[in-house]
Amino acid sequence: MSATLFDQVEALMAEIGKAQPSSADELEQFRIRFLGSKNILKPLFGEIKQIEPARKKEYGQLVNRAKEEAEAKYAEWQAVFAREKRQSAYAGMDLTAPGEPRPLGSRHPVSLVMQEMIAIFGRIGFSVADDREIEDDWHNFTAMNTPEDHPARDMQDTFYVVDAPGMLLRTHTSSVQARVMTSRKPPIRIIAPGRVYRNETISARSHCQFHQIEGLYIDEGVSFADLKQTLLHFVREFYGKDRKIRLRPSYFPFTEPSAEMDVYMGLETEKDRRITKGTGWLEVLGCGMVDPAVLHNCGIDPERYTGYAFGIGIERTAMLRYNIEDIRLMFENDIRFLRQFDAVV
Ligand code: PHE
């Protein structure tokens, strides 16, 4: 009895050894016979109970070896047929032909400047807050202390969404201040980069769409000194380590006190004189202490918390950095313009 079982396994091993499938179909037949779910070796494993005790181990090892040989054979032939299949796919192709070059794209100057600013503020703990460009009147104006009849609304010519009362294209990223304050608890330390829209006549100097980076910091005991020092740090990282800044009193409905910040560019070159209108100072952002009314509107206790905010225009900064004379170039997708930035990363 056991002699026959041994013989059966030996015979199958011989068959496995000799097998030479000539096609993928034949290989599949082989797989089904020796490795499939109802393969021929399976019952032979069960037959071990028939074997006399002294030879059980020997028998078990033999059947296992048969299975391993079937697996090895299958793997070997599978590789052969896979290679043949790949080669037939290349038939007729010139594998020595040079590849087609794929030019890398370039980063837009607006993105370059934004990324750099995000990195600078990121290093001092500001995280990015992203929000919608199509806003409602409340987040863009009312929450920011600019109610319906407020004269400051005239400062910003707004695009309203047709047939959607109260909806508009945000006129500044300050709307994200309201979004963040109404959805998070202090401490809040964010920057909000993004696109904004104003109904302005398009010219070399101004456009109806542009980008800003908003900054907002709210916690207990935040002071104007914190604002000034943060802005100075930013300027020295972005414009150079010896830069001076000055803050001039200004007005925004959502900050009190408000200021505009200038960076000293000097008067050495013709360009310095031109961009600073002969003063040496260049205006780069608006800022101030968050008006308590804004905190109150957004559900933050102004008795407990204070904060500062600032808003930086991106296009003007990028134009300065890369000597771009006309803001319209930023939005025309002219490949000759964009390609000039492909070495900048
Ligand atoms: N939102 C202002 C603007 O668009 C800039 C600003 C932001 C001023 C935050 C003060 C504080 O011009």
Side-chain angles (χ1 to χ4, degrees):
M1 181 64 181
S2 27
T4 22
L5 280 169
F6 275 94
D7 291 345
Q8 275 181 45
V9 180
E10 300 274 11
L12 288 171
M13 274 172 81
E15 187 188 331
I16 292 166
K18 274 190 292 189
Q20 268 206 22
S22 60
S23 67
D25 280 347
E26 272 185 45
L27 179 63
E28 179 63 3
Q29 292 307 316
F30 176 91
R31 188 193 64 78
I32 293 167
R33 181 161 163 79
F34 294 104
L35 300 165
S37 58
K38 289 183 192 146
N39 70 66
I40 192 163
L41 294 168
K42 225 179 219 176
L44 289 168
F45 277 103
E47 297 296 350
I48 194 159
K49 55 184 179 296
Q50 316 260 7
I51 307 286
E52 59 198 87
R55 300 195 71 192
K56 273 194 200 301
K57 186 176 174 199
E58 189 192 339
Y59 177 78
Q61 284 171 341
L62 190 68
V63 188
N64 262 321
R65 216 169 67 230
K67 184 180 169 215
E68 280 161 19
E69 282 181 15
E71 281 167 352
K73 187 95 183 194
Y74 179 68
E76 176 194 332
W77 282 91
Q78 206 184 24
V80 170
F81 289 124
R83 198 177 323 123
E84 279 177 9
K85 193 172 166 197
R86 274 199 308 278
Q87 277 164 357
S88 69
Y90 294 144
M93 277 188 194
D94 178 2
L95 297 182
T96 66
E100 281 174 33
R102 299 208 171 210
L104 280 179
S106 52
R107 292 222 199 180
H108 195 281
V110 166
S111 303
L112 290 166
V113 167
M114 284 214 291
Q115 288 310 318
E116 189 175 336
M117 290 183 181
I118 289 170
I120 291 170
F121 285 107
R123 287 195 289 274
I124 53 171
F126 285 79
S127 56
V128 170
D130 190 26
D131 221 295
R132 67 213 74 188
E133 292 175 15
I134 302 174
E135 250 311 348
D136 56 49
D137 189 277
W138 191 83
H139 289 88
N140 194 81
F141 287 124
T142 312
M144 302 313 289
N145 203 28
T146 318
E148 202 63 62
D149 52 357
H150 197 291
R153 285 216 183 192
D154 303 338
M155 287 164 64
Q156 305 190 347
D157 301 295
T158 311
F159 284 121
Y160 286 92
V161 180
V162 179
D163 292 340
M167 298 302 289
L168 47 82
L169 301 184
R170 67 181 178 192
T171 59
H172 51 188
T173 44
S174 300
S175 59
V176 185
Q177 286 192 38
R179 288 279 167 196
V180 171
M181 283 192 260
T182 51
S183 62
R184 299 189 205 173
K185 287 194 167 61
I188 290 170
R189 185 157 42 191
I190 58 103
I191 48 170
R195 193 180 294 226
V196 302
Y197 304 84
R198 289 180 201 175
N199 190 358
E200 273 177 39
T201 312
I202 297 172
S203 72
R205 304 292 314 158
S206 68
H207 208 283
C208 60
Q209 54 179 333
F210 53 99
H211 295 76
Q212 294 183 326
I213 288 188
E214 192 82 6
L216 176 68
Y217 180 32
I218 297 173
D219 202 348
E220 290 178 20
V222 177
S223 70
F224 201 91
D226 297 321
L227 169 62
K228 192 175 162 190
Q229 207 57 32
T230 304
L231 294 178
L232 181 62
H233 171 78
F234 160 70
V235 165
R236 293 190 163 167
E237 292 283 300
F238 190 83
Y239 288 95
K241 66 176 170 30
D242 299 322
R243 293 290 175 177
K244 285 201 263 275
I245 59 169
R246 75 178 181 191
L247 291 160
R248 281 179 292 103
S250 183
Y251 174 78
F252 300 102
F254 31 89
T255 45
E256 181 57 35
S258 303
E260 269 160 328
M261 186 186 79
D262 301 339
V263 176
Y264 192 67
M265 307 302 281
L267 285 168
E268 272 153 45
T269 65
E270 178 52 41
K271 182 183 166 194
D272 291 339
R273 277 191 290 278
R274 178 165 44 81
I275 60 168
T276 67
K277 299 189 183 87
T279 66
W281 292 96
L282 181 77
E283 182 197 322
V284 300
L285 58 83
C287 61
M289 300 305 290
V290 178
D291 194 304
V294 173
L295 296 174
H296 174 80
N297 291 342
C298 296
I300 290 176
D301 181 3
E303 299 293 327
R304 180 166 173 202
Y305 294 105
T306 52
Y308 64 68
F310 55 84
I312 312 173
I314 304 298
E315 272 76 4
R316 283 205 331 142
T317 314
M319 287 168 75
L320 199 67
R321 171 155 291 195
Y322 300 114
N323 291 316
I324 301 165
E325 299 284 336
D326 190 325
I327 192 174
R328 290 169 289 198
L329 285 165
M330 301 279 196
F331 300 101
E332 281 168 0
N333 269 341
D334 187 329
I335 199 86
R336 293 166 302 179
F337 171 72
L338 296 172
R339 262 202 201 124
Q340 296 178 62
F341 301 93
D342 62 7
V344 196
V345 281

